[in-house]
Structures are given as C-alpha cells and as structure tokens.
Amino acid sequence: MKRTFLVLFGLTLTTTSLAQQSLTIYSGRAKTFVEPVVQQFQQQTGIKVNVRYGTDAQLVAALQEEGNRSPADIFWGNSVGALGELSDSRKFSKLSSSLYRGVSDDYIPSSKDWLPTTVRFRVLAYNNTKLKPGDLPGSILDLPKMTNLKGRIGWTVSYPSFQDFLAGMIARHGEATTRQWLEGMKALQPRDYKTSNVGMLEAIRAGEIDVGLTNHYYIQRVNRLSYPIDTHFFKAGDIGNLGNATGAAILTTSKNRAAATRFLQTLTGKDAQTFFLSVNFEYPVIGNIMQPVGMLPYNDVVKRSPRIEPGVLPKNIEKAQKLLRDAGLL
C-alpha cells in the first residue's frame, strides 16, 4: 500500500493511520494562538479537530462535571494552576518520555502527565518617563515599602498568572509573609484591572499609574507601539520573576490517543514554537529559536526565576485565593 508522508511543523506524519481520526480540544488558550495551529494540523493530516474555548476555570469545571463522559481528548491550559488541579484529579494520562525530548526540563512537572508549551515570566512594568530602574525595589517583597507609589500601582488579582504567582509566594515564603505582603500592597491603594493586563498597560501609558505587575509578554507587545514602558526584573531568584508555563495534556477520556500524541508533538515543534513567540512573545520551551530584539535570552531570564517545581503551585492556589478574599481583594 502506498503511503503518503506530510511535514507539519517539522514533524513527519503518516496520513494512512491517522487521517480518519478526530480530536476534541478544550482550550483555555485564546483562539489567536490555537486556531492557526489547528487549521494547519487539519490541513496536513486530515485529522478533524474540534475546539471548545473557555477560561481555564470554566473548562476545569466542565471536565470535572463531565467525568468519564467527557468528549475531550486534550486540555490545553493557560496556567499551571489549572493543569495541576486536573493532574491531581487524575484527569490526565501519563505521557511518553519521547514527548519531552528536546523540551527544557525547567518546567516539566514531576507527574509527567502534561507537556509545557510556552513559558511566561512575572515582571514589573514601569513608565520609563517617570521612573528609572534604580528607583525600583530589588525584591517584590519590598514593593509595599514604595510609599511614593501610593495610588500609582496596578495589578490584576483575578488573572490566573497573578494567582499562580501568589501561590508561588506562599510556597517560597509562607502564608504569613504572603498575607503581610498583600496587606502592605493594599495600603498603597493599588488599582485592580481584574484580568485586563492590556488595560493596565494602557493606564501606564496614559499616566494614570506608574507601575504594574504583569507577564513579560504584555510589555513586549506594547513596545511595538513605542509605549513609554520598560520591563523591571527583580533580583535573581526573587518570586517576583516567577516563570509560569502553559501546557497541554491528554485526558484519560481520550479515544484518540495516537492523534492526540501527534498534536502534542506539534506544539513543541520548531515552527509552532516560533509561532507562539512571534505572536505573543512567550518564551519557547525548545532551544534554537531566534528571539526578538529586546527580549532577554531564555537562558538568562530563567536564571532570574525562583526554582519551584510546577506541581507545587496548584497545591497553593486555593490558599492564595483565600488570602485575597480575606483581604477584601477578590
């Protein structure tokens, strides 16, 4: 029998064995990042892909409710918290070690049941017409001491990456220190932009605030528009620089494991990784990807992040949310 081979994102696929299959993906990632990859995958493999979009929280709830009846093959999550919750609930299948080949081990979970796809780092965005790097603290723990910034700080306490960061602070420094930090921040009357990091950076540009706690890639995006905003990394190892992965997993309900495995291989292929970097400025999880001017090389930025095992963060998400509620911030 004649076999036809296609190349997708650098991966050679055999259409005879997979073309009649289909996949259902539950995606907490935005359509902007998912649809182009899915369309190319469908075109070149013949595998039909159905995507259900939603927030991580919505999709986690759906999977928990559906149980073994779930039609989902893949969960593509936007936060370690969501991935960890599903992993702890044993919703994910163990992945083949071959899927991790060539992937940076910095954010591979010890459970080996989900695959990191990109990495984001927490940073402080600041208005470079009003502040200089020397004006900013070396540790995020010292940010509440910046009384000159009262009413001039922005954050997004409902955003999953912020809550993952807070979970990281609990893991590194304990609940008492994290509670004290939140109370200190609250005293500075920060402006809460809910989940809108874009709105927060627009507020910095407009002069409404001077700094904002965010993910690095939001700053890279607005730099294309010549906004007066720069990136401040705290000292090496500071929790304020926490690296946080997105990731994908194969659900135990999957009836199409071979096709699902191929899709996960695609996500960490060179072309897909380059796409994620060029569209959203997220760091790739594989090497040999040229990064835009203005972004620190991955090997440099990862050294600034504290070393916290990815599986630890999800265990502290509920604690982080409770501290936020107790402080009247959520």
Side-chain angles (χ1 to χ4, degrees):
M1 178 173 62
K2 184 177 179 180
R3 305 177 80 187
T4 303
F5 292 92
L6 297 172
V7 176
L8 169 66
F9 299 122
L11 175 68
T12 303
L13 301 178
T14 308
T15 61
T16 54
S17 60
L18 298 177
Q20 302 306 312
Q21 296 191 31
S22 63
L23 283 175
T24 296
I25 298 173
Y26 281 16
S27 177
R29 302 242 63 195
K31 194 173 183 178
T32 304
F33 314 124
V34 175
E35 189 172 40
V37 177
V38 166
Q39 288 181 345
Q40 186 74 357
F41 184 81
Q42 289 183 135
Q43 178 185 352
Q44 302 226 19
T45 66
I47 299 171
K48 179 175 174 55
V49 181
N50 303 302
V51 184
R52 175 177 176 177
Y53 293 99
T55 65
D56 277 358
Q58 290 169 340
L59 297 174
V60 167
L63 287 167
Q64 300 287 20
E65 181 180 348
E66 291 166 355
N68 292 333
R69 299 176 291 103
S70 178
D73 295 295
I74 290 172
F75 175 73
W76 191 354
N78 203 41
S79 71
V80 170
L83 289 158
E85 181 176 348
L86 291 172
S87 175
D88 288 345
S89 299
R90 300 188 178 181
K91 294 292 185 182
F92 297 156
S93 298
K94 290 288 184 180
L95 298 180
S96 168
S97 59
S98 64
L99 281 171
Y100 295 103
R101 193 171 298 130
V103 175
S104 170
D105 61 5
D106 295 303
Y107 297 97
I108 293 176
S110 58
S111 59
K112 295 292 181 70
D113 60 358
W114 58 268
L115 182 70
T117 52
T118 59
V119 183
R120 298 80 58 83
F121 293 89
R122 297 296 296 178
V123 296
L124 185 69
Y126 68 97
N127 187 320
N128 58 27
T129 67
K130 296 186 176 182
L131 295 168
K132 298 177 181 178
D135 299 327
L136 302 171
S139 172
I140 198 169
L141 295 178
D142 292 329
L143 190 56
K145 299 176 184 177
M146 305 291 290
T147 55
N148 59 306
L149 293 176
K150 187 173 184 177
R152 309 292 298 174
I153 299 174
W155 59 4
T156 53
V157 299
S158 300
Y159 191 62
S161 288
F162 179 86
Q163 294 182 8
D164 282 346
F165 144 72
L166 208 61
M169 184 181 287
I170 292 171
R172 176 56 60 92
H173 298 288
E175 288 186 64
T177 296
T178 305
R179 182 183 296 107
Q180 183 180 14
W181 183 81
L182 283 173
E183 292 294 345
M185 288 293 294
K186 184 178 178 180
L188 293 185
Q189 301 175 4
R191 301 193 187 189
D192 183 10
Y193 293 86
K194 307 301 181 184
T195 61
S196 181
N197 288 271
V198 173
M200 182 170 63
L201 293 193
E202 286 292 344
I204 294 177
R205 180 187 66 83
E208 297 170 9
I209 57 175
D210 296 331
V211 300
L213 293 166
T214 189
N215 286 342
H216 79 272
Y217 57 81
Y218 286 106
I219 304 170
Q220 297 296 323
R221 286 189 206 169
V222 300
N223 280 348
R224 293 179 297 183
L225 305 173
S226 300
Y227 281 21
I229 298 175
D230 276 340
T231 302
H232 176 68
F233 282 98
F234 300 98
K235 64 186 179 183
D238 193 81
I239 195 65
N241 302 331
L242 181 66
N244 196 4
T246 64
I250 299 175
L251 290 148
T252 56
T253 53
S254 175
K255 298 178 178 60
N256 306 292
R257 187 174 176 86
T261 298
R262 294 295 192 184
F263 189 78
L264 261 59
Q265 287 175 315
T266 295
L267 295 182
T268 56
K270 185 173 181 178
D271 286 351
Q273 289 287 296
T274 301
F275 169 75
F276 299 138
L277 175 62
S278 63
V279 171
N280 202 38
F281 295 96
E282 292 177 293
Y283 279 92
V285 296
I286 64 172
N288 302 318
I289 304 292
M290 185 68 69
Q291 292 167 195
V293 174
M295 283 183 70
L296 285 176
Y298 174 80
N299 287 337
D300 289 345
V301 73
V302 77
K303 292 176 183 177
R304 298 170 185 255
S305 175
R307 313 309 299 155
I308 297 179
E309 207 283 322
V312 171
L313 298 183
K315 301 181 189 306
N316 289 314
I317 291 295
E318 288 189 8
K319 294 177 183 177
Q321 292 170 340
K322 183 179 186 302
L323 288 179
L324 287 168
R325 289 193 294 270
D326 290 347
L329 297 168
L330 190 65

